[in-house]
Amino acid sequence: MPSHPARASAKQALTQFDLRIEAAIGHSIDQLWQHRGRNLLDEPRTCLADAHRALVQAEQAVTFYRVQLRRLASDEFAVDQALFTRINRTVAALKEAAATRDQRETQVKAALESVEAATRTRGAGGGPELPAPDQATLLAIAQGAKLREHLLTQRLSVVTASGVRIAYSHLQRFEAAGLVVRDEAHPLHAGQPVTLTDAGRALLASRRVPAPLAAPPVQRAGAWPASSAPRR
């Protein structure tokens, strides 16, 4: 018997909670997992993503041992004591996998109810709207960003890992809203790391995050200062 259950993608190993999870988070399970991998989720959604992934793995194990049991019950093998031993071993493994699956379902349910409660609270409180450009900007910051001071002009701007520059005024607006924070322990000429706060992660995770388009104003690293219009 193979030593490890066959692995399947999240789409192939759906759980009974998937539709309810997608309704609560406002986007697909695939996006939830992607956001978890990029550390874009707040704590409740992080717990939900981890619990869901564990449940998917448990469902895969149950499916694997069921398939094994059906195969052993076919006419592929001679009916002898060795077959009975393998069947008993597989049934025991299936029981254990099912028990684990049931535990994982309980964990997903608890995590999902926490997210649903938070969503209802935000809905009742009329949470702030996040324009699409701001979504793209926050997503770019979440992927890595630093506030730098240009040596010649002394102008401040945020440089993201993708090379996009974000105006300092945008950073100040996000800071005032409590969505981002910068590490002032680092000097500006070396770059002060800028990260999302828990509130920023929660707001970003609660929206349908667009592709990381260029955040306003769009200006690639190395293009500073901007060239002026030609004069006559």
Side-chain angles (χ1 to χ4, degrees):
M1 182 167 55
S3 58
H4 197 284
R7 283 172 164 71
S9 69
K11 290 184 178 180
Q12 295 171 327
L14 297 177
T15 75
Q16 63 171 311
F17 296 99
D18 285 12
L19 293 179
R20 184 174 161 189
I21 289 174
E22 290 178 345
I25 63 178
H27 49 73
S28 70
I29 295 295
D30 284 347
Q31 286 179 297
L32 176 67
W33 283 22
Q34 290 170 8
H35 293 172
R36 176 64 180 99
R38 295 156 78 177
N39 197 30
L40 297 179
L41 302 177
D42 58 359
E43 184 177 354
R45 284 177 171 78
T46 295
C47 292
L48 177 58
D50 291 344
H52 181 269
R53 188 182 296 272
L55 175 57
V56 168
Q57 294 171 347
E59 291 280 16
Q60 291 171 358
V62 169
T63 299
F64 172 79
Y65 290 117
R66 290 184 66 178
V67 171
Q68 279 295 107
L69 198 57
R70 284 198 296 267
R71 180 167 174 261
L72 292 173
S74 69
D75 57 2
E76 182 178 348
F77 302 96
V79 179
D80 53 17
Q81 190 58 44
L83 177 62
F84 296 146
T85 299
R86 292 186 64 181
I87 289 176
N88 290 335
R89 191 163 59 235
T90 303
V91 169
L94 179 58
K95 287 181 179 179
E96 182 178 351
T100 299
R101 188 269 319 276
D102 292 344
Q103 293 175 355
R104 299 290 186 264
E105 285 183 344
T106 300
Q107 293 167 355
V108 169
K109 183 178 180 181
L112 177 56
E113 288 175 349
S114 176
V115 171
E116 288 174 335
T119 301
R120 287 194 296 270
T121 300
R122 279 196 299 270
E129 291 296 325
L130 190 64
D134 286 351
Q135 292 184 43
T137 302
L138 285 179
L139 181 57
I141 291 174
Q143 295 169 342
K146 289 185 177 182
L147 175 65
R148 295 182 183 274
E149 181 181 49
H150 194 271
L151 293 177
L152 297 179
T153 65
Q154 281 75 55
R155 294 182 63 178
L156 298 176
S157 64
V158 177
V159 182
T160 69
S162 61
V164 174
R165 289 188 183 271
I166 300 169
Y168 181 53
S169 59
H170 285 77
L171 174 66
Q172 290 178 306
R173 181 161 55 85
F174 289 141
E175 284 182 319
L179 301 179
V180 302
V181 63
R182 52 188 164 113
D183 185 355
E184 296 182 342
H186 295 74
L188 281 171
H189 65 82
Q192 295 180 346
V194 179
T195 57
L196 299 186
T197 62
D198 289 342
R201 294 180 190 279
L203 186 59
L204 188 61
S206 67
R207 303 292 189 258
R208 287 183 171 83
V209 183
L213 301 176
V218 179
Q219 192 165 0
R220 293 289 174 184
W224 187 280
S227 59
S228 59
R231 298 180 178 179
R232 295 184 180 274

